[in-house]
Amino acid sequence: MAAGTGAQSRRFDSGRICLDLVATGPGPLGDREQLDSPARLADWLVATGLVPRGTPLTAVDETWPARFRHLRACVDRLTTAEPAGRAADSALAGLNALAAGPPPGLRAVREDGVLVRVLSEGPDCETLLAAVARDAVELLTDPVARSGLRRCEGETCGRLYLDTSRGRRRRWCSSDVCGNRERVARHRRRLKDDPGPSLEIDA
């Protein structure tokens, strides 16, 4: 059973919760599997906002991570295949089956004089999967949103994100991670190509 409700540190904000899910998998940069236990999945659910902070997550058991990893595989295949004009029918069928379920019910309650969002009922795996699957359906069927789908240009990355920047000129999943790595590499290349004037010492 998952005991924690705290949010783990996420690598970057993709702009869509379905892309956040894709980013939880092992990556070319040696990123570890983030959904390898109920506790880590519980942390991810809170970090993404699917579950309001402070919600008890004792219902998250050993079956949940595998089900979210299955949805992740479907979304990953579709977000790769569809922009390239390739069909991924089995992934589409899996996504549609999960999206057909009802999303979590929400209600507003007053805490310390302020309205906050809470779940109408305890967290349920089917409804949370449906919320992420529906987000993927909306992304894949919206031509404007889909046109902003990008892969990080980091040399060893390739994470997916939604480019909503002005002029749609965002190049990296994270400016602080891949962007900074690329700037450092570019600086080193410049130094190598142009080491500067050599110092001559008079005898």
Side-chain angles (χ1 to χ4, degrees):
M1 300 287 240
T5 58
Q8 68 185 38
S9 176
R10 288 186 293 151
R11 183 169 176 271
F12 76 106
D13 180 8
S14 71
R16 296 295 290 246
I17 198 165
C18 62
L19 300 181
D20 284 347
L21 178 62
V22 173
T24 62
L29 290 177
D31 303 333
R32 62 171 290 186
E33 170 64 63
Q34 294 182 41
L35 305 184
D36 57 359
S37 70
R40 286 174 65 83
L41 173 59
D43 283 344
W44 182 82
L45 292 171
V46 175
T48 57
L50 267 173
V51 173
R53 192 174 300 277
T55 303
L57 292 171
T58 54
V60 183
D61 63 24
E62 295 291 342
T63 66
W64 287 41
R67 297 175 71 181
F68 273 85
R69 290 194 300 266
H70 170 68
L71 173 57
R72 181 179 69 193
C74 293
V75 176
D76 193 13
R77 283 186 60 197
L78 287 164
T79 51
T80 299
E82 287 299 316
R86 300 193 304 269
D89 292 340
S90 61
L92 183 60
L95 176 69
N96 285 335
L98 293 171
L106 299 175
R107 59 193 178 96
V109 299
R110 197 172 300 279
E111 289 185 3
D112 298 324
V114 178
L115 289 177
V116 298
R117 179 176 60 96
V118 299
L119 297 181
S120 299
E121 299 179 358
D124 176 81
C125 192
E126 286 78 9
T127 60
L128 295 175
L129 286 167
V132 181
R134 287 182 177 208
D135 182 63
V137 169
E138 290 172 3
L139 171 61
L140 292 167
T141 58
D142 181 344
V144 175
R146 193 174 62 237
S147 68
L149 196 60
R150 301 282 186 272
R151 278 202 183 273
C152 179
E153 294 181 21
E155 187 174 343
T156 56
C157 185
R159 292 287 192 195
L160 283 166
Y161 64 89
L162 200 63
D163 185 3
T164 57
S165 65
R166 181 175 297 180
R168 294 203 168 178
R169 289 180 288 191
R170 179 177 167 186
R171 298 177 55 198
W172 302 294
C173 63
S174 168
S175 180
D176 292 338
V177 180
C178 288
N180 187 59
R181 184 180 288 111
E182 177 61 25
R183 287 188 288 270
V184 169
R186 192 164 55 231
H187 177 67
R188 288 176 176 167
R189 287 194 296 269
R190 279 199 302 266
L191 290 179
K192 183 178 180 181
D193 294 340
D194 183 16
S198 60
L199 296 177
E200 294 184 1
I201 300 176
D202 294 333

